[in-house]
Amino acid sequence: MATRLSPRELLEKLVSFPTVSSESNLPLVDWLEGYLEGHGIKAQRHYDPTGKKAALFAHVGPEVDGGVVLSGHTDVVPVVGQPWDTDPFVLTEKNGRLYGRGSCDMKGFDALAIWALVEAQYAGITRPLQLALSYDEEIGCVGAPAMIAAMGDALPKASAVIVGEPSMMKAVTGHKGTASYKVHLKGHEVHSSMLHKGVSAIMSGAKLIEWANMKNAEGQAAEPRDVDAVFDPPFTTVHVGMIEGGNAHNITAKDCRFELDFRTVPGDDMNAWKEAFLQRVAEVEAEMQAIVPSTGIDLVEGFNVPALVPEIDGEAEALARRLTGDNSSNVVSYATEGGQFQDAGYSVVVCGPGDIAQAHQPNEYLEISQLVAGQSFMQNLLKELCQ
Ligand SMILES: [Zn+2]
């Protein structure tokens, strides 16, 4: 019979694959597929358009709807330029902590989920358990939607999803959505003494940035809706974090580029925000073109991750609360694949080991006590699935 690895042994193995989002995750997927097959579990792959990455999902238990999905991502953020004291791709124990890239975000949960799936195979569960491991989460939750659709076609439909992003094993029921635009304003150069005949891409860009300032001020001043009041801040924010443009202090700028991103509260419609921004872009572009018709504004949409909306009497939340005993109310500031599962009709909760403060850091670690807490969570889950 094939060896059954412990969560810690599984984590060691997963961390040894340098699955940085820019690289292939297929070595990890190959290994995992083989490991599950050794235990009689037939996993399925869903490839990305390049064929260099794949999501992996699997089903254990009776072929019926209504199971539980354990959802994680296989990719990790880069280590380049970070001062690590240990090899980031060798799980290293020090002072009760397990160091390694992805130990916290989120191969610790992946290891627990794989462990639980194999245990479920031997435990004779009566309610199904599914595993869903995506790719390209770290570059804007790009991989999950296609995986979720493929799972819907290939497997019985589960009803509750546990997304194991680091939450210190607390039940997290909501997060904001995010979306971004790359903005390129194309102006017209003249000497600044004649600026009425030129179009400064920077000064036109400033109008769009001022729109963001105005929207933030409006959000700050408004009374938050109940669904949004738990967030800090309890309103949608619009932010510009990078900008470049211009060649000289006395020439109207030919180009200005910046990135603008939204963090929307669950009570707001992301599309409405986008439309409002596009309308302001059209106004500013018209003003530019009234002076020089060849000027304009190019937009490229970046990431777009829906909010996780706190559910009323959510099945996944109730499950996580039974399994953890945690009754505190928690929302988080980071985005997850949870909103994407929710959009596909699942009940979703975020609950996983480790502290999000560790994610993406040099010397990222997972407390061993969190791995232990995660294992008892999975043991409780298995008991419940056997009832
Ligand atoms: Zn993550």
Side-chain angles (χ1 to χ4, degrees):
M1 198 162 96
T3 325
R4 277 150 85 170
L5 300 178
S6 68
R8 167 138 176 196
E9 289 165 333
L10 286 162
L11 178 55
E12 211 166 284
K13 191 72 194 173
L14 295 176
V15 166
S16 75
F17 296 102
T19 49
V20 177
S21 310
S22 56
E23 307 299 321
S24 171
N25 73 341
L26 293 181
L28 184 155
V29 169
D30 288 344
W31 174 80
L32 180 54
E33 199 175 62
Y35 177 72
L36 293 175
E37 196 157 351
H39 293 284
I41 301 168
K42 182 90 194 81
Q44 303 186 47
R45 295 180 184 206
H46 185 77
Y47 283 95
D48 83 336
T50 71
K52 290 186 183 136
K53 298 173 191 171
L56 180 142
F57 51 84
H59 175 103
V60 164
E63 291 289 313
V64 294
D65 291 352
V68 175
V69 181
L70 300 175
S71 150
H73 58 81
T74 59
D75 59 321
V76 295
V77 295
V79 295
V80 177
Q82 291 188 338
W84 279 76
D85 297 333
T86 59
D87 184 335
F89 300 110
V90 176
L91 193 72
T92 307
E93 178 177 346
K94 272 197 301 183
N95 307 323
R97 295 168 171 176
L98 299 169
Y99 288 85
R101 170 55 85 225
S103 56
C104 176
D105 182 14
M106 61 180 287
K107 288 176 171 175
F109 180 83
D110 295 347
L112 290 164
I114 296 162
W115 178 81
L117 196 75
V118 170
E119 293 303 307
Q121 173 78 345
Y122 295 107
I125 53 173
T126 53
R127 183 183 175 190
L129 185 64
Q130 296 180 350
L131 174 72
L133 298 179
S134 69
Y135 55 86
D136 283 354
E137 191 272 350
E138 295 291 3
I139 56 171
C141 298
V142 174
M147 173 189 75
I148 294 167
M151 280 175 74
D153 292 341
L155 302 181
K157 177 85 184 257
S159 54
V161 179
I162 298 167
V163 177
E165 291 284 352
S167 75
M168 295 299 281
M169 297 310 298
K170 299 267 183 232
V172 168
T173 57
H175 61 65
K176 291 186 180 183
T178 62
S180 74
Y181 283 102
K182 285 187 186 347
V183 183
H184 177 198
L185 296 105
K186 297 169 296 180
H188 181 74
E189 282 181 311
V190 295
H191 190 272
S192 60
S193 62
M194 298 298 289
L195 73 84
H196 64 298
K197 292 189 172 167
V199 175
S200 166
I202 293 176
M203 294 177 77
S204 299
K207 294 180 183 177
L208 297 178
I209 296 172
E210 185 49 23
W211 177 85
N213 285 325
M214 201 183 73
K215 289 294 168 190
N216 290 333
E218 283 173 13
Q220 186 112 39
E223 189 64 31
R225 292 184 209 84
D226 285 350
V227 62
D228 301 331
V230 286
F231 289 89
D232 183 21
F235 54 89
T236 293
T237 54
V238 195
H239 177 248
V240 176
M242 287 200 302
I243 186 165
E244 63 172 38
N247 287 318
H249 77 93
N250 58 357
I251 302 173
T252 56
K254 187 163 172 294
D255 294 289
C256 176
R257 293 182 172 84
F258 59 87
E259 289 195 40
L260 176 140
D261 61 69
F262 298 95
R263 291 187 176 269
T264 54
V265 286
D268 276 1
D269 176 9
M270 179 76 81
N271 287 325
W273 274 97
K274 288 182 168 182
E275 276 165 31
F277 178 60
L278 295 183
Q279 192 189 330
R280 184 63 189 134
V281 167
E283 288 165 8
V284 172
E285 188 172 54
E287 289 164 17
M288 295 166 74
Q289 290 176 344
I291 302 165
V292 180
S294 62
T295 60
I297 304 174
D298 287 344
L299 295 179
V300 178
E301 274 197 67
F303 49 84
N304 188 354
V305 186
L308 178 63
V309 184
E311 299 166 14
I312 296 163
D313 299 326
E315 182 192 335
E317 176 185 352
L319 173 67
R321 294 200 186 286
R322 281 199 302 279
L323 301 179
T324 58
D326 170 34
N327 282 314
S328 56
S329 103
N330 302 286
V331 297
V332 290
S333 53
Y334 55 89
T336 75
E337 297 172 339
Q340 295 167 325
F341 273 101
Q342 199 174 50
D343 272 4
Y346 294 88
S347 172
V348 179
V349 69
V350 175
C351 186
D355 186 342
I356 193 67
Q358 280 304 312
H360 307 185
Q361 297 298 310
N363 298 323
E364 174 182 352
Y365 65 81
L366 180 66
E367 300 274 359
I368 292 175
S369 59
Q370 279 291 298
L371 195 64
V372 171
Q375 191 169 7
S376 69
F377 176 93
M378 292 299 175
Q379 280 160 338
N380 291 343
L381 174 62
L382 289 166
K383 265 184 231 154
E384 179 151 335
L385 296 178
C386 284
Q387 278 166 14

Short mmCIF file of all heavy atoms in Angstrom, two decimals, residues 258-287:
data_model
loop_
_atom_site.label_atom_id
_atom_site.label_comp_id
_atom_site.label_asym_id
_atom_site.label_seq_id
_atom_site.Cartn_x
_atom_site.Cartn_y
_atom_site.Cartn_z
N PHE A 258 -0.18 55.63 -15.50
CA PHE A 258 -0.33 55.23 -14.10
C PHE A 258 -1.26 54.04 -13.99
O PHE A 258 -1.94 53.67 -14.96
CB PHE A 258 -0.80 56.39 -13.21
CG PHE A 258 -2.11 57.01 -13.59
CD1 PHE A 258 -3.30 56.51 -13.13
CD2 PHE A 258 -2.14 58.15 -14.41
CE1 PHE A 258 -4.51 57.10 -13.46
CE2 PHE A 258 -3.35 58.75 -14.75
CZ PHE A 258 -4.53 58.22 -14.28
N GLU A 259 -1.26 53.44 -12.82
CA GLU A 259 -2.18 52.33 -12.55
C GLU A 259 -3.14 52.77 -11.48
O GLU A 259 -2.73 53.36 -10.48
CB GLU A 259 -1.42 51.08 -12.08
CG GLU A 259 -0.63 50.46 -13.19
CD GLU A 259 -0.17 49.04 -12.83
OE1 GLU A 259 -0.95 48.29 -12.22
OE2 GLU A 259 0.98 48.73 -13.18
N LEU A 260 -4.40 52.50 -11.74
CA LEU A 260 -5.44 52.89 -10.80
C LEU A 260 -6.18 51.63 -10.36
O LEU A 260 -6.50 50.79 -11.20
CB LEU A 260 -6.38 53.86 -11.51
CG LEU A 260 -7.62 54.34 -10.76
CD1 LEU A 260 -7.84 55.84 -11.05
CD2 LEU A 260 -8.85 53.56 -11.19
N ASP A 261 -6.35 51.47 -9.06
CA ASP A 261 -7.10 50.29 -8.65
C ASP A 261 -8.22 50.59 -7.66
O ASP A 261 -8.19 51.57 -6.92
CB ASP A 261 -6.19 49.16 -8.15
CG ASP A 261 -5.38 49.54 -6.94
OD1 ASP A 261 -5.97 49.71 -5.86
OD2 ASP A 261 -4.16 49.68 -7.08
N PHE A 262 -9.22 49.73 -7.75
CA PHE A 262 -10.41 49.83 -6.90
C PHE A 262 -10.38 48.71 -5.87
O PHE A 262 -9.98 47.59 -6.18
CB PHE A 262 -11.69 49.61 -7.73
CG PHE A 262 -11.92 50.61 -8.81
CD1 PHE A 262 -11.50 50.37 -10.11
CD2 PHE A 262 -12.57 51.79 -8.52
CE1 PHE A 262 -11.73 51.29 -11.11
CE2 PHE A 262 -12.81 52.73 -9.52
CZ PHE A 262 -12.39 52.47 -10.83
N ARG A 263 -10.79 49.02 -4.66
CA ARG A 263 -11.11 47.98 -3.67
C ARG A 263 -12.55 48.22 -3.25
O ARG A 263 -12.84 49.15 -2.51
CB ARG A 263 -10.16 48.08 -2.46
CG ARG A 263 -8.76 47.67 -2.84
CD ARG A 263 -7.80 47.58 -1.69
NE ARG A 263 -6.53 47.10 -2.20
CZ ARG A 263 -6.17 45.82 -2.27
NH1 ARG A 263 -6.98 44.88 -1.80
NH2 ARG A 263 -5.03 45.46 -2.78
N THR A 264 -13.41 47.37 -3.77
CA THR A 264 -14.84 47.62 -3.59
C THR A 264 -15.41 46.84 -2.41
O THR A 264 -15.09 45.67 -2.22
CB THR A 264 -15.62 47.20 -4.85
OG1 THR A 264 -15.31 45.84 -5.15
CG2 THR A 264 -15.28 48.07 -6.03
N VAL A 265 -16.25 47.51 -1.65
CA VAL A 265 -16.96 46.82 -0.57
C VAL A 265 -18.04 45.92 -1.19
O VAL A 265 -18.50 46.18 -2.31
CB VAL A 265 -17.61 47.83 0.42
CG1 VAL A 265 -16.55 48.47 1.30
CG2 VAL A 265 -18.42 48.88 -0.31
N PRO A 266 -18.43 44.83 -0.47
CA PRO A 266 -19.40 43.89 -1.03
C PRO A 266 -20.73 44.54 -1.44
O PRO A 266 -21.39 44.07 -2.35
CB PRO A 266 -19.62 42.89 0.11
CG PRO A 266 -18.34 42.90 0.85
CD PRO A 266 -17.87 44.33 0.81
N GLY A 267 -21.10 45.65 -0.76
CA GLY A 267 -22.37 46.30 -1.10
C GLY A 267 -22.33 47.09 -2.40
O GLY A 267 -23.37 47.53 -2.89
N ASP A 268 -21.15 47.30 -2.96
CA ASP A 268 -21.03 48.06 -4.20
C ASP A 268 -20.90 47.14 -5.40
O ASP A 268 -20.35 46.05 -5.30
CB ASP A 268 -19.79 48.96 -4.17
CG ASP A 268 -20.03 50.28 -3.46
OD1 ASP A 268 -21.17 50.47 -2.97
OD2 ASP A 268 -19.10 51.09 -3.40
N ASP A 269 -21.37 47.61 -6.54
CA ASP A 269 -21.25 46.86 -7.79
C ASP A 269 -19.97 47.31 -8.50
O ASP A 269 -19.83 48.47 -8.85
CB ASP A 269 -22.49 47.15 -8.65
CG ASP A 269 -22.42 46.48 -10.01
OD1 ASP A 269 -21.49 45.67 -10.24
OD2 ASP A 269 -23.29 46.78 -10.85
N MET A 270 -19.06 46.36 -8.69
CA MET A 270 -17.79 46.69 -9.36
C MET A 270 -18.01 47.31 -10.73
O MET A 270 -17.33 48.25 -11.12
CB MET A 270 -16.94 45.41 -9.48
CG MET A 270 -15.62 45.60 -10.18
SD MET A 270 -14.41 46.40 -9.13
CE MET A 270 -13.84 45.00 -8.16
N ASN A 271 -19.00 46.77 -11.46
CA ASN A 271 -19.23 47.29 -12.82
C ASN A 271 -19.69 48.74 -12.80
O ASN A 271 -19.34 49.51 -13.69
CB ASN A 271 -20.25 46.42 -13.56
CG ASN A 271 -19.63 45.09 -13.95
OD1 ASN A 271 -18.43 45.03 -14.29
ND2 ASN A 271 -20.40 44.03 -13.90
N ALA A 272 -20.44 49.10 -11.77
CA ALA A 272 -20.89 50.48 -11.67
C ALA A 272 -19.69 51.41 -11.46
O ALA A 272 -19.63 52.51 -12.02
CB ALA A 272 -21.89 50.63 -10.52
N TRP A 273 -18.73 50.93 -10.66
CA TRP A 273 -17.51 51.73 -10.46
C TRP A 273 -16.74 51.88 -11.76
O TRP A 273 -16.23 52.95 -12.07
CB TRP A 273 -16.63 51.07 -9.39
CG TRP A 273 -17.04 51.51 -8.03
CD1 TRP A 273 -17.86 50.84 -7.17
CD2 TRP A 273 -16.68 52.73 -7.37
NE1 TRP A 273 -18.03 51.57 -6.03
CE2 TRP A 273 -17.32 52.74 -6.12
CE3 TRP A 273 -15.90 53.83 -7.73
CZ2 TRP A 273 -17.18 53.79 -5.21
CZ3 TRP A 273 -15.76 54.89 -6.84
CH2 TRP A 273 -16.40 54.87 -5.60
N LYS A 274 -16.65 50.78 -12.49
CA LYS A 274 -15.92 50.85 -13.75
C LYS A 274 -16.59 51.82 -14.72
O LYS A 274 -15.92 52.62 -15.37
CB LYS A 274 -15.85 49.46 -14.38
CG LYS A 274 -14.91 48.52 -13.64
CD LYS A 274 -14.86 47.20 -14.35
CE LYS A 274 -13.72 46.36 -13.82
NZ LYS A 274 -13.62 45.08 -14.54
N GLU A 275 -17.91 51.73 -14.79
CA GLU A 275 -18.63 52.63 -15.71
C GLU A 275 -18.43 54.09 -15.33
O GLU A 275 -18.24 54.94 -16.20
CB GLU A 275 -20.12 52.29 -15.72
CG GLU A 275 -20.45 51.16 -16.67
CD GLU A 275 -21.84 50.58 -16.43
OE1 GLU A 275 -22.73 51.33 -16.00
OE2 GLU A 275 -22.00 49.36 -16.65
N ALA A 276 -18.44 54.36 -14.03
CA ALA A 276 -18.26 55.74 -13.58
C ALA A 276 -16.86 56.24 -13.97
O ALA A 276 -16.69 57.38 -14.42
CB ALA A 276 -18.44 55.83 -12.06
N PHE A 277 -15.87 55.37 -13.83
CA PHE A 277 -14.51 55.76 -14.20
C PHE A 277 -14.41 55.97 -15.71
O PHE A 277 -13.85 56.97 -16.17
CB PHE A 277 -13.52 54.69 -13.73
CG PHE A 277 -12.09 54.99 -14.12
CD1 PHE A 277 -11.45 56.15 -13.69
CD2 PHE A 277 -11.38 54.12 -14.93
CE1 PHE A 277 -10.14 56.43 -14.05
CE2 PHE A 277 -10.06 54.38 -15.30
CZ PHE A 277 -9.45 55.55 -14.86
N LEU A 278 -15.00 55.06 -16.49
CA LEU A 278 -14.93 55.18 -17.95
C LEU A 278 -15.60 56.47 -18.43
O LEU A 278 -15.15 57.09 -19.38
CB LEU A 278 -15.58 53.96 -18.61
CG LEU A 278 -14.89 52.62 -18.37
CD1 LEU A 278 -15.58 51.50 -19.14
CD2 LEU A 278 -13.41 52.68 -18.75
N GLN A 279 -16.64 56.85 -17.72
CA GLN A 279 -17.32 58.09 -18.10
C GLN A 279 -16.41 59.30 -17.87
O GLN A 279 -16.32 60.19 -18.71
CB GLN A 279 -18.61 58.21 -17.27
CG GLN A 279 -19.52 59.31 -17.81
CD GLN A 279 -20.68 59.57 -16.86
OE1 GLN A 279 -21.12 58.66 -16.14
NE2 GLN A 279 -21.15 60.80 -16.85
N ARG A 280 -15.71 59.30 -16.74
CA ARG A 280 -14.79 60.41 -16.46
C ARG A 280 -13.64 60.40 -17.48
O ARG A 280 -13.19 61.45 -17.93
CB ARG A 280 -14.25 60.28 -15.02
CG ARG A 280 -13.37 61.43 -14.58
CD ARG A 280 -14.13 62.76 -14.57
NE ARG A 280 -13.22 63.88 -14.35
CZ ARG A 280 -13.25 65.02 -15.07
NH1 ARG A 280 -14.16 65.20 -16.03
NH2 ARG A 280 -12.39 66.00 -14.81
N VAL A 281 -13.17 59.20 -17.85
CA VAL A 281 -12.12 59.08 -18.86
C VAL A 281 -12.59 59.69 -20.18
O VAL A 281 -11.86 60.44 -20.84
CB VAL A 281 -11.70 57.60 -19.05
CG1 VAL A 281 -10.86 57.41 -20.31
CG2 VAL A 281 -10.94 57.10 -17.83
N ALA A 282 -13.83 59.38 -20.55
CA ALA A 282 -14.37 59.91 -21.82
C ALA A 282 -14.44 61.43 -21.78
O ALA A 282 -14.12 62.11 -22.77
CB ALA A 282 -15.75 59.31 -22.07
N GLU A 283 -14.81 62.00 -20.63
CA GLU A 283 -14.89 63.47 -20.52
C GLU A 283 -13.50 64.10 -20.67
O GLU A 283 -13.32 65.07 -21.40
CB GLU A 283 -15.45 63.87 -19.14
CG GLU A 283 -16.94 63.60 -18.97
CD GLU A 283 -17.38 63.65 -17.48
OE1 GLU A 283 -16.55 64.05 -16.62
OE2 GLU A 283 -18.52 63.27 -17.22
N VAL A 284 -12.52 63.52 -19.96
CA VAL A 284 -11.16 64.08 -20.01
C VAL A 284 -10.59 63.93 -21.42
O VAL A 284 -9.94 64.84 -21.95
CB VAL A 284 -10.25 63.41 -18.96
CG1 VAL A 284 -8.80 63.85 -19.12
CG2 VAL A 284 -10.75 63.74 -17.55
N GLU A 285 -10.86 62.79 -22.05
CA GLU A 285 -10.36 62.57 -23.41
C GLU A 285 -10.96 63.59 -24.38
O GLU A 285 -10.27 64.13 -25.24
CB GLU A 285 -10.70 61.14 -23.86
CG GLU A 285 -10.05 60.77 -25.17
CD GLU A 285 -10.22 59.30 -25.51
OE1 GLU A 285 -11.38 58.81 -25.51
OE2 GLU A 285 -9.21 58.62 -25.77
N ALA A 286 -12.23 63.87 -24.20
CA ALA A 286 -12.89 64.85 -25.07
C ALA A 286 -12.25 66.23 -24.91
O ALA A 286 -12.04 66.96 -25.90
CB ALA A 286 -14.38 64.91 -24.76
N GLU A 287 -11.90 66.58 -23.67
CA GLU A 287 -11.24 67.87 -23.43
C GLU A 287 -9.87 67.91 -24.11
O GLU A 287 -9.48 68.94 -24.66
CB GLU A 287 -11.08 68.10 -21.92
CG GLU A 287 -12.41 68.38 -21.19
CD GLU A 287 -12.31 68.22 -19.66
OE1 GLU A 287 -11.17 68.22 -19.13
OE2 GLU A 287 -13.37 68.09 -19.03
#
